[in-house]
Amino acid sequence: MALTIEIDHAKTRARAAAAVGRPVVPQSVKGPIRRIKWGVLLLTLSIYYVTPFIRWHRGPNAPDQAVLLDFANGRLYAFFVEIWPQDLYLLTGLMVLSASILVLANALAGRLWCGFACPQTVWTDLFLLVERLIEGDRRQRLKNIGAPLTPKRTAQIAAKHAAWLLISFATGGTLIFYFTDAPGLLRSFASGDVSFNALTWIVVFAATTYGLAGFARDQVCTFMCPWPRLQGAIWDPEAYTVNYRDYRGEQRMSAKKAAAVRFEGKPAGDCVDCGQCVTVCPIGIDIREGPNFACINCGLCVDACDGVMKKLGRPRGLIDYESWNNIERARRSERPVNRLVRPKTIGLTAACVAMAAAIAIGLETKATATLSVQHDRDPVAVRLSDGSLRNAYTLKLLNKSAGSHIYSLTVSGFDAKLVIVGGRSESSILVGPETSATLRVTLTANADGQGEVVFTAQDETGAALSVMDRFLDR
């Protein structure tokens, strides 16, 4: 059976709400999934706000902040990981791995990331919590829309936006902490000695948080984020997503009418058309209309529906995390099949493990120093007055460690004499911590010919760096 993920009713609902000037106002709900979401919210916010203040000892001359994006010096620090511009391939690998894990999660449980841990979802939940505490739940907030302003209502609006702004500035300020020494910047805030550049970025990030979590909300998840647009290409009917068991819920009718119909021996659906699944949805969609690209798989409609079923004395799970193929199997009176482990998920898991292993090996074997060489091109070779040939090179030694090293420079592979330009009588080079040294060298051969030359720089510990180039005669 071919299935098209529905988007029209999401757009229709959004247009209808916009036509009357009414935003999506979700109702609060209680249940196990909501409790999990609260737990994820507390965990993610704690990680976000606390991480910049975690210390990590890296030795002398190195920052002690565990996570630091030091763009000014071209360094990215994350606990024991240190990324230099030359190591951006590792960062690229981490991004590819993250995308692969996201695709794997989608193959297992749809937009699970979107519904539980996405920053837009987390901060929107936090803003909604503040809104409910100050203005009341959905019914009261709907009454407030378009109602005349009273002193009480004005105070509520002012308190809500003040709380939102406080959260937004805390969010923007914390984000800045990831780019500089957090305790130092915090002391600058306390003393009022903050740079204009830092204040500008805090205002930008605070305004972004305030606008997206306070006002855009469902529009971000439905229209601004690219991830739902990919669902048509990567949606998997075997993934455990939020679905409505229509074979059990239809035909919809009130509980009283359903009891009368069943008394007559006729079938009646469990769905009483209470609309609770719609009122609690943060996106404002009706999951009973079928799979929807806008559904973030948060499961709040599951809690709402289970609560209604419990009150009516009916089995839970009318709306539940279930694969679409199992919905179709149940329509045919077949047993459900759990296919979380299948070739697609096995392949994605293997790919993720392989990439993680490759990145781990790359981090473990990442060099703490590099040597590069560039052959002079104009001219390539110079004939000296005594008939010998000379080639010139520019060598660059980069020391990425936190301590100084003394490197001894040698050349092999071709019979030529090495001379460091600048009057140096010895071939030892001192390179300070996290710095580089550039030097020009010449190779002089008494006889014509050309071949491979190997430059080697060895430090006092015996660790050696080698790079190959060519000695040319013309």
Side-chain angles (χ1 to χ4, degrees):
M1 174 182 176
L3 176 67
T4 301
I5 300 180
E6 184 61 60
I7 63 173
D8 290 338
H9 67 271
K11 293 181 177 179
T12 302
R13 192 175 301 279
R15 285 195 295 266
V20 298
R22 178 182 297 176
V24 174
V25 183
Q27 180 177 301
S28 63
V29 63
K30 295 180 180 179
I33 297 176
R34 177 67 268 184
R35 288 193 292 272
I36 292 174
K37 282 176 63 65
W38 286 134
V40 173
L41 182 145
L42 289 173
L43 176 63
T44 52
L45 288 180
S46 298
I47 292 173
Y48 175 75
Y49 288 115
V50 172
T51 298
F53 297 95
I54 299 175
R55 302 295 95 186
W56 190 269
H57 181 67
R58 297 186 178 89
N61 306 313
D64 65 348
Q65 186 160 312
V67 178
L68 178 63
L69 310 180
D70 189 6
F71 289 152
N73 296 309
R75 311 283 190 277
L76 302 181
Y77 300 97
F79 297 96
F80 61 89
V81 176
E82 181 179 344
I83 302 294
W84 283 56
Q86 295 85 352
D87 305 322
L88 284 182
Y89 67 94
L90 293 172
L91 190 61
T92 302
L94 286 171
M95 294 174 66
V96 173
L97 175 60
S98 300
S100 301
I101 292 174
L102 199 58
V103 174
L104 173 60
N106 190 275
L108 295 172
R111 294 179 65 182
L112 201 64
W113 159 263
C114 300
F116 287 82
C118 174
Q120 174 67 17
T121 296
V122 170
W123 264 273
T124 296
D125 272 356
L126 183 59
F127 274 45
L128 282 171
L129 175 62
V130 170
E131 192 172 52
R132 291 189 186 110
L133 291 175
I134 295 174
E135 295 186 346
D137 208 351
R138 182 175 187 271
R139 183 177 298 178
Q140 184 59 50
R141 299 206 308 279
L142 288 176
K143 288 181 180 179
N144 291 337
I145 297 176
L149 285 178
T150 63
K152 178 181 178 181
R153 177 70 183 133
T154 302
Q156 287 179 335
I157 293 175
K160 178 183 74 173
H161 287 278
W164 283 0
L165 286 170
L166 183 62
I167 295 171
S168 299
F169 277 101
T171 302
T174 301
L175 189 58
I176 293 297
F177 289 156
Y178 283 88
F179 296 87
T180 187
D181 181 65
L185 184 58
L186 191 61
R187 287 191 292 269
S188 299
F189 282 135
S191 63
D193 183 23
V194 185
S195 69
F196 177 77
N197 185 50
L199 288 176
T200 300
W201 282 110
I202 290 172
V203 170
V204 169
F205 293 137
T208 302
T209 304
Y210 181 69
L212 297 183
F215 301 96
R217 293 182 180 174
D218 55 289
Q219 301 300 313
V220 175
C221 299
T222 306
F223 301 109
M224 296 172 64
C225 178
W227 190 238
R229 301 292 173 179
L230 297 174
Q231 296 305 300
I234 65 175
W235 182 79
D236 195 321
E238 292 288 0
Y240 274 67
T241 56
V242 175
N243 281 304
Y244 168 63
R245 292 187 168 107
D246 53 359
Y247 59 87
R248 173 185 154 188
E250 304 297 327
Q251 293 287 328
R252 307 174 197 172
M253 60 187 71
S254 67
K256 185 176 180 180
K257 185 176 180 181
V261 170
R262 287 170 178 161
F263 182 76
E264 296 174 1
K266 299 178 181 178
D270 281 345
C271 180
V272 296
D273 208 14
C274 62
Q276 286 296 299
C277 55
V278 180
T279 60
V280 303
C281 179
I283 307 300
I285 63 174
D286 189 344
I287 196 64
R288 297 172 297 176
E289 296 178 5
N292 190 304
F293 88 119
C295 176
I296 61 173
N297 226 34
C298 66
L300 295 181
C301 55
V302 176
D303 279 344
C305 187
D306 284 352
V308 173
M309 292 297 103
K310 183 178 180 180
K311 291 178 181 178
L312 296 175
R314 297 177 184 176
R316 67 160 302 278
L318 180 59
I319 298 176
D320 205 357
Y321 285 95
E322 180 65 285
S323 71
W324 183 255
N325 280 349
N326 274 343
I327 298 289
E328 294 185 328
R329 291 184 185 106
R331 290 173 182 163
R332 300 190 297 266
S333 300
E334 298 175 3
R335 293 175 60 85
V337 178
N338 182 346
R339 295 200 67 234
L340 290 178
V341 179
R342 55 189 187 278
K344 179 178 181 179
T345 57
I346 293 174
L348 285 170
T349 302
C352 290
V353 171
M355 281 189 284
I359 293 171
I361 293 172
L363 289 171
E364 183 64 27
T365 59
K366 184 166 66 74
T368 58
T370 61
L371 173 65
S372 61
V373 60
Q374 183 177 0
H375 196 297
D376 281 7
R377 296 299 179 189
D378 189 18
V380 172
V382 176
R383 176 75 65 178
L384 302 181
S385 59
D386 61 357
S388 60
L389 282 173
R390 175 177 293 172
N391 283 200
Y393 307 82
T394 299
L395 273 65
K396 184 175 182 180
L397 265 169
L398 174 62
N399 176 20
K400 298 192 289 184
S401 67
S404 299
H405 288 285
I406 299 176
Y407 294 91
S408 298
L409 186 63
T410 59
V411 64
S412 61
F414 192 80
D415 186 14
K417 180 181 179 181
L418 172 69
V419 175
I420 299 178
V421 178
R424 295 174 60 98
S425 59
E426 55 185 29
S427 58
S428 296
I429 305 102
L430 174 64
V431 185
E434 298 189 352
T435 57
S436 62
T438 301
L439 60 153
R440 284 180 51 78
V441 302
T442 61
L443 292 182
T444 305
N446 293 325
D448 290 353
Q450 56 184 353
E452 305 288 348
V453 291
V454 178
F455 294 93
T456 301
Q458 187 174 37
D459 66 14
E460 68 279 4
T461 67
L465 303 169
S466 297
V467 63
M468 183 181 292
D469 207 291
R470 287 188 62 82
F471 185 92
L472 303 174
D473 57 7
R474 62 180 182 277

